[in-house]
Amino acid sequence: MQMIAIDTSNKNFYELMNIYEQAKKQLEDVLFLIKYAAKQYYGYDIISNITSRIKTPQSIVNKMKKKNYDLTYVNLINNINDIAGIRIVCPMKSDIAIIKGIIHKIPNIEILKEKDYLKQAKKSGYSAYHMIIEVPLEYEEQTIYVKVELQIRTMAMDFWATNEHKIKYKTNSKISVLDSRKLEIYAKVLNKMDEEFSDIYKKQRLEMDKYI
């Protein structure tokens, strides 16, 4: 199947998407358990929200064309890492490191790649922490490993990224240089707010710990 040219309308393609869906759901279930356990331990929702998606067939094809990959299953499986995606949104920037540390301790998964857009945001202003994770999945009496992209953002980062995507990709007109610059500035302002909220929270926790 892997060397066959992709046909997004046939059975093979939808079977493959179902495999990605199962892997996504398996990891998502684990993350919801972590969300519950972390709330009990830290006393607040360290994970505010978890959402997920499978890329549309057209998005997959468009990405492969953009990267100049031949439209074969082997290229899709080996080179497109974000077909299945999960997003974790947390209240504060300091929560991201905690969540990342917990994910590293999940048994049986393998973390293939990590990208830190917190230390160095993208040129557009985008900030988040990305991980490519291989999830073991039982399929036709064998264990296969399926890649899932995990993004961890704060509420502020998610607000910015959601609106930036809507402005840039959901409208028909190209954004102006001036408006692009505005978005970069707004990202920096929100990032500064994230850091300030984290600092204030740490300070309050230290004060509270004095009385425990």
Side-chain angles (χ1 to χ4, degrees), residues 99-201:
I99 295 165
K100 181 182 69 170
I102 294 171
I103 290 166
H104 271 273
K105 294 177 182 177
I106 297 175
N108 301 323
I109 68 164
E110 183 176 352
I111 297 169
L112 299 180
K113 192 174 183 180
E114 298 180 70
K115 285 188 178 180
D116 189 346
Y117 297 115
L118 304 173
K119 291 180 180 176
Q120 183 62 52
K122 288 186 177 182
K123 186 179 178 181
S124 64
Y126 176 86
S127 291
Y129 197 89
H130 288 198
M131 307 170 89
I132 304 298
I133 296 172
E134 267 194 339
V135 178
L137 187 70
E138 296 303 315
Y139 181 74
E140 294 185 350
E141 299 183 352
Q142 61 179 323
T143 302
I144 60 174
Y145 292 86
V146 184
K147 287 181 281 190
V148 178
E149 184 193 54
L150 182 63
Q151 299 175 356
I152 312 173
R153 305 174 178 172
T154 65
M155 292 176 178
M157 292 171 193
D158 191 56
F159 169 80
W160 183 92
T162 300
N163 284 286
E164 189 257 4
H165 182 77
K166 188 183 296 182
I167 291 166
K168 283 190 173 180
Y169 302 104
K170 300 298 183 182
T171 59
N172 293 323
S173 56
K174 186 177 179 181
I175 190 169
S176 69
V177 173
L178 177 60
D179 284 338
S180 238
R181 180 58 184 150
K182 285 180 181 178
L183 290 174
E184 291 176 43
I185 292 169
Y186 299 153
K188 289 177 181 178
V189 171
L190 287 170
N191 184 57
K192 183 63 177 175
M193 288 173 61
D194 260 342
E195 291 175 352
E196 291 294 334
F197 276 118
S198 288
D199 288 344
I200 292 168
Y201 177 74

Side-chain angles (χ1 to χ4, degrees), residues 2-3 6 8 15 21 31 41 61 79 102 109 121 124 140 145 150 168:
Q2 291 186 354
M3 295 305 295
I6 293 170
T8 59
E15 283 182 355
E21 176 65 38
L31 294 172
Y41 184 83
V61 170
N79 299 312
I102 294 171
I109 68 164
S124 64
E140 294 185 350
Y145 292 86
L150 182 63
K168 283 190 173 180

Side-chain angles (χ1 to χ4, degrees), residues 36-141:
Y36 174 79
K39 182 177 181 180
Q40 307 309 306
Y41 184 83
Y42 290 99
Y44 72 98
D45 278 309
I46 190 170
I47 295 175
S48 304
N49 194 27
I50 299 171
T51 56
S52 66
R53 61 100 185 100
I54 297 291
K55 265 188 180 300
T56 65
Q58 192 58 54
S59 292
I60 293 168
V61 170
N62 288 345
K63 185 164 188 176
M64 292 181 75
K65 287 179 177 178
K66 185 178 179 181
K67 292 182 174 289
N68 295 317
Y69 294 134
D70 290 336
L71 297 180
T72 64
Y73 284 103
V74 69
N75 280 332
L76 184 153
I77 292 166
N78 290 340
N79 299 312
I80 308 301
N81 296 331
D82 62 344
I83 293 170
I86 298 175
R87 181 176 301 147
I88 294 174
V89 178
C90 55
M92 288 176 290
K93 200 171 182 179
S94 55
D95 297 328
I96 294 177
I98 298 171
I99 295 165
K100 181 182 69 170
I102 294 171
I103 290 166
H104 271 273
K105 294 177 182 177
I106 297 175
N108 301 323
I109 68 164
E110 183 176 352
I111 297 169
L112 299 180
K113 192 174 183 180
E114 298 180 70
K115 285 188 178 180
D116 189 346
Y117 297 115
L118 304 173
K119 291 180 180 176
Q120 183 62 52
K122 288 186 177 182
K123 186 179 178 181
S124 64
Y126 176 86
S127 291
Y129 197 89
H130 288 198
M131 307 170 89
I132 304 298
I133 296 172
E134 267 194 339
V135 178
L137 187 70
E138 296 303 315
Y139 181 74
E140 294 185 350
E141 299 183 352

